[in-house]
Amino acid sequence: NVSHHKAIDAYYAALATYRSQDVTHEQATRLAFTTLLDTLSKTVGWTLVLEQTLANRKRPDGTLYDDVKFPRGYWEAKDTQDDLDAEIQAKIRRGYPLTNTIFEDTRRAVLYQNNRAVFEADLTQRGQLTNLLNLFFSYTGEKIEEFHAAVAEFRERIPELARSVEQTIETERARNQRFSLAFDAFHQICA
């Protein structure tokens, strides 16, 4: 739960500073949300990577990866002068991911999960911002759960698989002279 995290206070302080300077364009204001996401992502073991080009050649403002380099969420910032809903529709038409994606313009945010809008937040309201972030960082879709279950199972089976490979190698070395010579040559190269 991010409700009382000091990064939320820093986010609102940064926005207040921008407002006092009449700064509203995306390249400036997105730094506040970048810092917020970056700080909070570390608390859940994720890493924020800015402007990462995806396999479909789309480049969200931020992609958040977990400890096994699996993408867990995306973030797209817009100018406060933009029509956020129109910008979201344009990104959807262009094929941006909607598995766990925040679209925001410093005033308002829309969270998409499983290809549909699931939460809209007035970012000027701390409670709504924290609800948005809690939903975002707690998201585990079915594919993510399956992937992490497979990784956990593979980690458990590595010793068993290694013993099986080692046994096969020793058996072949004992009964197959060609294999034994090839293995010894390979071992020399590696040493």
Side-chain angles (χ1 to χ4, degrees):
N1 187 331
V2 301
S3 305
H4 302 291
H5 200 285
K6 62 185 174 186
I8 304 278
D9 296 329
Y11 169 73
Y12 284 120
L15 290 181
T17 300
Y18 294 140
R19 270 193 309 278
S20 73
Q21 299 294 321
D22 294 323
V23 174
T24 60
H25 63 283
E26 175 189 335
Q27 293 306 318
T29 60
R30 82 176 191 163
L31 179 59
F33 209 82
T34 300
T35 304
L36 177 63
L37 283 181
D38 186 51
T39 302
L40 295 177
S41 68
K42 291 176 176 127
T43 68
V44 295
W46 296 2
T47 302
L48 173 64
V49 179
L50 299 177
E51 304 290 337
Q52 175 74 43
T53 302
L54 306 177
N56 67 357
R57 298 176 43 190
K58 304 306 171 220
R59 190 176 5 181
D61 291 320
T63 302
L64 293 103
Y65 294 94
D66 63 18
D67 61 342
V68 291
K69 298 180 181 145
F70 196 84
R72 297 297 297 269
Y74 306 92
W75 160 61
E76 187 65 29
K78 297 284 133 224
D79 280 322
T80 54
Q81 288 81 18
D82 292 338
D83 177 339
L84 184 61
D85 294 319
E87 292 292 328
I88 291 170
Q89 291 310 309
K91 294 294 182 179
I92 290 171
R93 283 191 300 277
R94 288 189 205 122
Y96 273 66
L98 300 173
T99 50
N100 187 32
T101 306
I102 295 173
F103 295 93
E104 59 85 20
D105 66 4
T106 71
R107 294 170 304 167
R108 195 170 138 248
V110 180
L111 175 63
Y112 275 74
Q113 292 178 330
N114 296 324
N115 298 314
R116 63 185 184 84
V118 296
F119 189 76
E120 186 172 326
D122 175 348
L123 296 180
T124 65
Q125 303 298 310
R126 184 184 185 104
Q128 290 187 36
L129 172 62
T130 59
N131 287 342
L132 171 85
L133 294 169
N134 284 327
L135 286 169
F136 180 74
F137 284 113
S138 65
Y139 175 78
T140 56
E142 186 176 312
K143 288 182 181 180
I144 292 170
E145 287 179 15
E146 289 173 6
F147 176 78
H148 282 276
V151 167
E153 181 180 339
F154 185 71
R155 281 183 179 149
E156 287 178 17
R157 293 193 56 208
I158 286 174
E160 174 189 329
L161 295 169
R163 283 190 295 278
S164 175
V165 169
E166 185 179 37
Q167 184 178 13
T168 301
I169 289 170
E170 291 308 315
T171 299
E172 287 302 310
R173 285 186 76 189
R175 70 177 197 188
N176 183 337
Q177 185 178 9
R178 244 176 94 203
F179 177 85
S180 183
L181 291 171
F183 182 84
D184 290 342
F186 177 72
H187 188 264
Q188 283 294 329
I189 292 169
C190 294

